[in-house]
Amino acid sequence: MKFSIEQNDQYSKARAGQIETAHGKIQTPIFMPVGTVGTVKSVQQRDLVEEVKAQIILGNTYHLYLRPGIEILNQAGGLHRFMNWDKPILTDSGGFQVFSLASSRKKSEDGVRFKSHIDGSYHMFTPEKSMEIQRNIGADIIMAFDELTGIPAEYHDAKRAMQVTHRWLERCRTWLNENPELYGYQQTLFPIVQGNDFKDLRQESARYIADFGADGNAIGGLSVGEPEPVMYEMTDIVTEILPKDKPRYLMGVGTPWNILEGIALGVDMFDCVMPTRNARNGMLFTWNGVINMKNAKWKDCFEPLDESGTSFVDHEYTKAYVRHLFNAQEFLGKQIASLHNLAFYLDLVRVAREHILAGDFTEWKNQMIPQLKTRL
């Protein structure tokens, strides 16, 4: 993987760049739609390319391990071929899903034993197992297996999780060095900075990750319920330390305004289930603000869904029709809303990139955020 920076913003840490992978180039900053089990919910791959303009998607190691399983993925030739997607893929390590299974997991230095949410069977994830699964998935960018804690947390718990994450990172690298590639191309390992909301731990972890010397780095353990100012503060602390010539990935973030603030703090890559999850509940993100499509005010509004939208659904369907679909509990409403939101998110980072290149990103960002937060 190669990363190059084309332009730095004069008044913030924002930058426009390009990542080169075995499955194509990615212009940054970029948002990655989440394809948990080999599908971005409610959206076909063709629409991801033609309407959303997605350049890279995310797959989930935990879920793909359980279904369809690494044997099927290996027989298919990897996730790219299995789901007919020829652009880059990033996989997370499964660490967050294991974290979310607090009531049915047991942690140790070796790894985490957990119970499947599907059938109750027990499984063990170790750094080595996470690497093996991601090797079989065949993602271009793979994440180191980490341990995170919710916010708030006790200092000693956050420090222990950070130290475990660092030790597991070394085991991830060792396994990758000892096991050959499966599909004929190199996979890039991203370490993950942890440390909860403690400034000194975030700094310590960021320095450790910077010294590790990976081709890209991630910031984890945020967007787990903490106030937005805390998220921004921790991100700012970490990006001051992580190498400037490597891409930075803020995991699981977030709202459109979170993404713009993250870009200003020097982040290049984002992912979040929010655009599709909120879409399925009738929430649309637009350049003019947030729309609740279930609201009765749209009952007789025959304007296009979003006149400034870039997807065909924005111009071929009206607010009244989409509101009717949600009211009638027709699945098409969820599909339309999901396609709209994802297209908007990719348009958001595309326009942000244009303003970085033009040299007026900070001024534009400060004007845009209040508008994005408006409730329509």
Side-chain angles (χ1 to χ4, degrees), residues 116-293:
S116 166
H117 73 285
I118 298 172
D119 60 9
S121 58
Y122 282 92
H123 305 267
M124 183 74 179
F125 266 24
T126 65
E128 294 80 8
K129 185 65 175 180
S130 177
M131 294 300 99
E132 179 189 2
I133 299 167
Q134 292 184 79
R135 183 73 99 206
N136 279 272
I137 293 172
D140 300 84
I141 301 172
I142 62 178
M143 307 305 297
F145 191 57
D146 62 330
E147 181 179 342
L148 65 153
T149 53
I151 296 177
E154 295 294 331
Y155 183 86
H156 68 275
D157 290 331
K159 184 173 183 178
R160 183 200 59 78
M162 178 198 71
Q163 292 171 336
V164 168
T165 293
H166 296 169
R167 291 194 292 270
W168 285 356
L169 172 60
E170 298 293 344
R171 289 168 57 184
C172 289
R173 177 163 62 181
T174 298
W175 190 94
L176 291 172
N177 289 339
E178 293 176 350
N179 291 271
E181 298 290 345
L182 289 179
Y183 305 123
Y185 54 88
Q186 185 178 12
Q187 296 174 285
T188 300
L189 176 68
F190 275 27
I192 303 174
V193 175
Q194 290 293 347
N196 208 270
D197 61 350
F198 299 103
K199 179 178 179 179
D200 63 322
L201 296 184
R202 285 287 174 179
Q203 290 172 324
E204 179 181 348
S205 186
R207 286 192 289 266
Y208 186 95
I209 297 307
D211 291 341
F212 185 78
D215 288 334
N217 301 291
I219 305 168
L222 296 175
S223 192
V224 290
E226 77 279 4
E228 287 183 346
V230 174
M231 181 200 307
Y232 300 149
E233 179 187 10
M234 294 302 108
T235 301
D236 191 24
I237 288 169
V238 170
T239 56
E240 277 296 305
I241 297 171
L242 291 180
K244 292 179 173 58
D245 61 343
K246 306 295 182 183
R248 303 163 178 148
Y249 165 32
L250 181 57
M251 306 178 73
V253 177
T255 65
W257 45 95
N258 290 159
I259 290 174
L260 292 188
E261 294 289 10
I263 292 172
L265 294 172
V267 175
D268 308 290
M269 305 170 69
F270 303 86
D271 81 284
C272 193
V273 297
M274 182 172 287
T276 47
R277 177 178 291 171
N278 287 28
R280 295 193 299 275
N281 292 315
M283 179 182 288
L284 301 187
F285 296 101
T286 78
W287 287 107
N288 295 312
V290 182
I291 303 176
N292 179 4
M293 288 312 305

